[in-house]
Amino acid sequence: METLAIVGASLAGLSAARAARAQGFCGRLLIIGDEQQRPYDRPPLSKEFLAGKIGVNHLMLEAEEPGADDPLQAEWLLGTPARSFDAATRTITLGDGRAVVADGVVIATGASARTLPELAGLSNVFTLRTLEDAQDLAPELVPGSRLLVVGAGFIGAEVASTAKGLGMDVTIICKSPMPLSAPLGAEMAAALATLHGMNGVELICDTGIDSYYSCEGNVTGVRLSDGQYRSADVVLLGIGAVPNVGWLAGSGLAIDDGVTCDSMGRTNVPGVVAVGDCAAWFDERSGRHHRVEHWSGAQERAAIAVAGLLDHSAAAQPLNLPYFWSDQYGVTLQFAGHARDAERVQIEAGELENHSFLAVYYRGDEPVGVLGVNQPRLFTRWRRQLNAHNARTAQTVLATP
């Protein structure tokens, strides 16, 4: 392979580039990104960055050494999004009309925040996915102002926590009966939902928004499905994300809620792999394709995908269980595994009421997930054990004809 093109210049793309060099790729390395920024860390955007505790330089994922050579020896094509892809010829057409042809392609275009068409163009409505999003939102988080968060996922909860800490009046609207019930399960989600009220944030669950009221280009309030009205100075939409795969329409790649991949990130087209939030990898244990939209997945899976790209005979490798963390109201929660696989949850240490506990998710007698809330050491031990168990199980599955 002489030329490797990586489409996407965030954590997944950078991790793929580093893996390629570490695994011996010495050819031409192209990194294409739609943002002007070099790769940066996104998790702090909703927390330390919005709170003004860190600046842009603290987010950069590459060491800043003025005058030093790029250790990746890469050609960076930034501020130029990919517009289309011909998988048969591995030709990437950029937004400025240039065409890039490569022997191997890593698709790492991530996902974009979901929006609502009826709120398009209103100046006090925000999403949070990129550095530019955070820079736009930060000046609006003014003490005494009213923030309405639509959606109670991790981004919504973290921004609510940050905004409350800055002195804002915060309300969260959650369409489901309980926030975070999908990733954590109903029981643990209910225990953690109490954090909002304990910290003075209003959480309204199991209701939608019937109508938005606006004046002079700003949302002024919302009417809920149950008839309640809430006013707003600032609105944050935290209603999920959609994979950035529109540019791949007609490319020849299989697409279904992301780029469809095998258990090593390889697509249906030889020489093309996908990693990060846009990639739907096959899970050997569940027998399903699904996207893992977390920091650790973007970092860890890149090396596996690159190994399969550089060596077509490379054997499949066991994957670590999905892992994510979140910081809200001074509480750190960490989760590894799949809550959906569990039949019961057992508290192994601490107490729910104190928001300092460790819960293990079981299917029968087999642990399939672990949640740590302000329990970093115990969680790390359990996570390591679960990954080791998962690796043994995966090896058995992979070895089965």
Side-chain angles (χ1 to χ4, degrees), residues 81-157:
R83 291 302 184 200
S84 64
F85 180 52
D86 183 343
T89 61
R90 300 192 192 95
T91 300
I92 304 157
T93 302
L94 305 182
D96 60 9
R98 285 181 292 173
V100 173
V101 181
D103 303 305
V105 176
V106 178
I107 297 171
T109 44
S112 296
R114 195 182 301 275
T115 58
L116 295 175
E118 60 265 38
L119 300 182
L122 296 173
S123 60
N124 66 337
V125 178
F126 300 88
T127 57
L128 182 58
R129 189 79 186 184
T130 67
L131 175 58
E132 184 178 3
D133 291 339
Q135 290 172 323
D136 290 341
L137 176 60
E140 306 298 323
L141 303 186
V142 178
S145 294
R146 296 160 296 184
L147 172 66
L148 181 69
V149 179
V150 182
F154 291 109
I155 292 295

Side-chain angles (χ1 to χ4, degrees), residues 317-379:
Q317 303 177 39
L319 300 172
N320 283 335
L321 291 168
Y323 163 67
F324 59 82
W325 74 93
S326 180
D327 295 301
Q328 304 170 24
Y329 310 106
V331 172
T332 298
L333 67 91
Q334 298 168 283
F335 183 86
H338 296 287
R340 65 169 186 262
D341 295 338
E343 298 169 344
R344 62 185 175 91
V345 184
Q346 182 171 313
I347 304 300
E348 301 285 351
E351 298 178 352
L352 292 178
E353 296 77 11
N354 298 331
H355 294 109
S356 178
F357 62 89
L358 184 122
V360 179
Y361 295 63
Y362 289 93
R363 181 176 56 213
D365 294 327
E366 178 188 9
V368 294
V370 60
L371 169 66
V373 180
N374 281 348
Q375 294 282 346
R377 291 186 179 180
L378 192 55
F379 173 83

Side-chain angles (χ1 to χ4, degrees), residues 175-186:
K175 190 174 183 180
S176 62
M178 191 62 59
L180 303 179
S181 56
L184 299 180

Side-chain angles (χ1 to χ4, degrees), residues 174-196:
C174 178
K175 190 174 183 180
S176 62
M178 191 62 59
L180 303 179
S181 56
L184 299 180
E187 183 180 354
M188 293 300 101
L192 291 170
T194 61
L195 278 169
H196 298 294

Side-chain angles (χ1 to χ4, degrees), residues 302-323:
I304 296 174
V306 167
L309 180 64
L310 298 178
D311 180 4
H312 300 300
S313 63
Q317 303 177 39
L319 300 172
N320 283 335
L321 291 168
Y323 163 67

Side-chain angles (χ1 to χ4, degrees), residues 20 34 98 113 217 226 230 255 260 380:
D34 59 351
R98 285 181 292 173
D226 59 8
R230 290 294 183 274
I255 306 291
T260 304
T380 299

